[in-house]
Amino acid sequence: MLTDTFKTTKSEEIFAAAQKLMPGGVSSPVRAFKSVGGQPIVFDRVKGAYIWDVDDNQYIDYVGTWGPAICGHSHPDVITALREALDKGTSFGAPCQLENVLAEMVIAAVPSIEMVRFVNSGTEACMAVLRLMRAFTNREKIIKFEGCYHGHADMFLVKAGSGVATLGLPDSPGVPKAATASTLTAPYNDLQAVQKLFEEHPDQIAGVILEPVVGNAGFIPPEAGFLAGLREITREQGALLIFDEVMTGFRIAYGGAQAKYGITPDLTTLGKVIGGGLPVGAYGGRQEIMSMIAPAGPVYQAGTLSGNPLAMTAGIKTLELLRRPGSYEQLDQITGKLINGLLAVAKATGHEVCGGHLSGMFGMFFALGPVHNYEDAKQADAAKFAKFHRGMLEQGVYLAPSQFEAGFTSLAHTDADIEKTLAAAKVVLESL
Ligand code: HOZ
């Protein structure tokens, strides 16, 4: 299957050196290719829908730096704005007007957000929101869902998705039992399990946090009534509902999953797209809750680089591009063509597959399906996915190196890219 031009000599050299310098040779686990095997590819540059590695192989990219590159990598408008911002300096550590601009855009777009605080990553946003929900309700327990990932803070490393699922780690050494004692879990898409937890722990649960569309256990959408049911239960129980929209925010709709499904949570976390490729996270919600954050209120959270002018600039430009008419229709059309094509090619070549998409987010499992939750996702054929991943790589298509990660398209992906991807998939799937 290996094409004549596919060489990875330099990637191998650099990664061998990296392994002596950094744990596993990487700065974040999933990119080490542990679950798909083979050497990870070391990248050199990105542009539009494409990435190039250090050996000069070109790939059609469906990772999009894990979501932020929704307008395509290095969009000229974002780069121009960044160059101008760079002339004014890289960090102020003090208020800047750009924060107001991005805050206004986020507040206007996301139904639940009346006030927002910028941080530097999705992990930070989720950590802060956890403290805030506990402070607001004066309760300690939280409910999260199996396979959902809310960053790597201690309290969330219970049956977590993303790298934790990819590496098959049940939990992490170093997390004290006390840190996770208040974290209750339920299967995704299971309202009865949530109801039962509230009955077992009356007046003790601060809130329910979830990815409204799961992307960190592979792509798993909510079943009809699930999000509305959570809204109803949390209201009845005096608990908060938190949507972790780090992946879905400005991705599946401009206003995120909450706009798409018409369910307004109490608090929302954001990241990825709002940073336009620079490190940004954010959390926001109703004014009465957000006013508890220091210095307006007593709940402490801070950050030297938070509200960084370069990150704000990239975020503003990205959202400006996204709010142009037709952006989400274009993402939906191109991603639908991709996933429907992949499912058709896989079925035609004799493989059991299931999958779907929402705007520019998609996923496919080697399973008969449907996949409702993490347990279902774990039944998918991971060994086959690993071979498929490697084959696609050798054919010039870069997919997320884990079956427990959603895929992402961008406004830069063209019909020709999709056709090339489907032709590659046919070659690979026929060989499996
Ligand atoms: N947690 C991110 C994906 N859901 C990043 C994974 C990585 O870069 O290793």
Side-chain angles (χ1 to χ4, degrees):
M1 195 184 321
L2 211 58
T3 51
D4 291 347
T5 51
F6 190 72
K7 302 265 184 312
T8 55
T9 325
K10 282 193 192 160
S11 268
E12 281 161 36
E13 274 168 28
I14 294 169
F15 190 64
Q19 281 176 294
K20 295 187 192 117
L21 303 168
M22 296 172 283
V26 289
S27 298
S28 187
V30 184
R31 59 187 77 168
F33 280 34
K34 285 262 184 199
S35 72
V36 289
Q39 289 275 326
I41 302 301
V42 177
F43 290 113
D44 180 56
R45 61 194 188 278
V46 290
K47 183 76 194 160
Y50 310 115
I51 46 178
W52 288 262
D53 68 19
V54 287
D55 292 281
D56 229 18
N57 298 302
Q58 180 182 336
Y59 307 85
I60 303 170
D61 179 23
Y62 293 106
V63 180
T65 186
W66 301 99
I70 192 166
C71 300
H73 291 289
S74 311
H75 190 287
D77 292 8
V78 177
I79 298 296
T80 304
L82 277 173
R83 286 205 172 105
E84 281 164 18
L86 201 51
D87 282 341
K88 294 185 173 187
T90 56
S91 177
F92 303 158
C96 76
Q97 203 193 345
L98 295 164
E99 291 168 279
N100 291 19
V101 177
L102 189 57
E104 274 168 9
M105 293 174 97
V106 169
I107 289 165
V110 184
S112 66
I113 300 188
E114 293 174 2
M115 266 188 153
V116 64
R117 164 64 59 89
F118 292 113
V119 291
N120 302 289
S121 69
T123 288
E124 264 189 65
C126 291
M127 282 168 70
V129 124
L130 179 74
R131 184 173 301 144
L132 181 56
M133 71 205 255
R134 285 171 162 167
F136 186 75
T137 58
N138 208 15
R139 297 175 180 180
E140 285 208 357
K141 294 191 194 307
I142 61 150
I143 297 177
K144 78 171 280 288
F145 292 91
E146 294 163 14
C148 280
Y149 181 72
H150 307 293
H152 55 83
D154 284 358
M155 305 71 68
F156 291 124
L157 288 186
V158 185
K159 298 186 183 168
S162 189
V164 185
T166 302
L167 300 174
L169 304 171
D171 44 34
S172 172
V175 174
K177 281 199 175 58
T180 52
S182 299
T183 307
L184 310 171
T185 59
Y188 187 74
N189 272 326
D190 188 341
L191 282 178
Q192 275 181 357
V194 174
Q195 187 71 57
K196 193 160 170 275
L197 287 172
F198 273 106
E199 281 160 18
E200 286 166 0
H201 305 274
D203 302 326
Q204 293 171 55
I205 298 172
V208 176
I209 185 166
L210 77 156
E211 298 176 66
V213 176
V214 181
N216 283 293
F219 173 81
I220 310 176
E223 279 163 21
F226 179 59
L227 299 178
L230 290 178
R231 184 62 285 183
E232 212 177 297
I233 296 172
T234 45
R235 249 192 212 125
E236 273 167 20
Q237 299 287 342
L240 298 179
L241 180 63
I242 293 91
F243 279 6
D244 177 346
E245 297 231 40
V246 169
M247 265 194 194
T248 52
F250 296 94
R251 164 61 64 181
I252 64 167
Y254 191 68
Q258 53 199 272
K260 169 138 194 94
Y261 291 101
I263 305 295
T264 306
D266 300 293
L267 290 166
T268 299
T269 56
L270 295 167
K272 298 193 188 280
V273 171
I274 56 156
L278 275 83
V280 181
Y283 60 100
R286 290 205 310 276
Q287 206 157 340
E288 59 164 330
I289 311 177
M290 289 304 290
S291 301
M292 289 189 76
I293 294 293
V299 179
Y300 199 71
Q301 181 273 308
T304 297
L305 291 169
S306 298
N308 174 273
L310 296 180
M312 297 294 105
T313 298
I316 292 163
K317 261 305 147 201
T318 300
L319 298 199
E320 277 175 12
L321 291 165
L322 284 174
R323 70 183 179 190
R324 287 182 184 165
S327 296
Y328 290 89
E329 288 78 4
Q330 186 184 330
L331 285 167
D332 191 56
Q333 184 272 327
I334 209 85
T335 320
K337 181 171 174 161
L338 171 71
I339 191 67
N340 294 330
L342 282 174
L343 293 175
V345 172
K347 282 175 190 160
T349 48
H351 301 281
E352 280 178 353
V353 283
C354 64
H357 82 288
L358 277 165
S359 192
M361 181 174 176
F362 69 92
M364 180 175 96
F365 290 104
F366 283 100
L368 193 51
V371 171
H372 301 288
N373 55 35
Y374 183 41
E375 275 311 308
D376 292 344
K378 283 198 288 188
Q379 303 312 314
D381 190 338
K384 192 182 270 189
F385 175 80
K387 285 185 197 148
F388 178 62
H389 182 271
R390 193 74 208 175
M392 291 299 274
L393 199 65
E394 290 169 4
Q395 294 289 323
V397 178
Y398 186 58
L399 299 170
S402 165
Q403 67 165 350
F404 297 120
E405 296 284 355
F408 301 111
T409 53
S410 77
L411 292 169
H413 285 81
T414 62
D415 284 325
D417 293 324
I418 305 300
E419 277 145 28
K420 213 171 149 198
T421 304
L422 297 179
K426 188 165 183 289
V427 173
V428 177
L429 288 164
E430 273 170 352
S431 76
L432 293 187

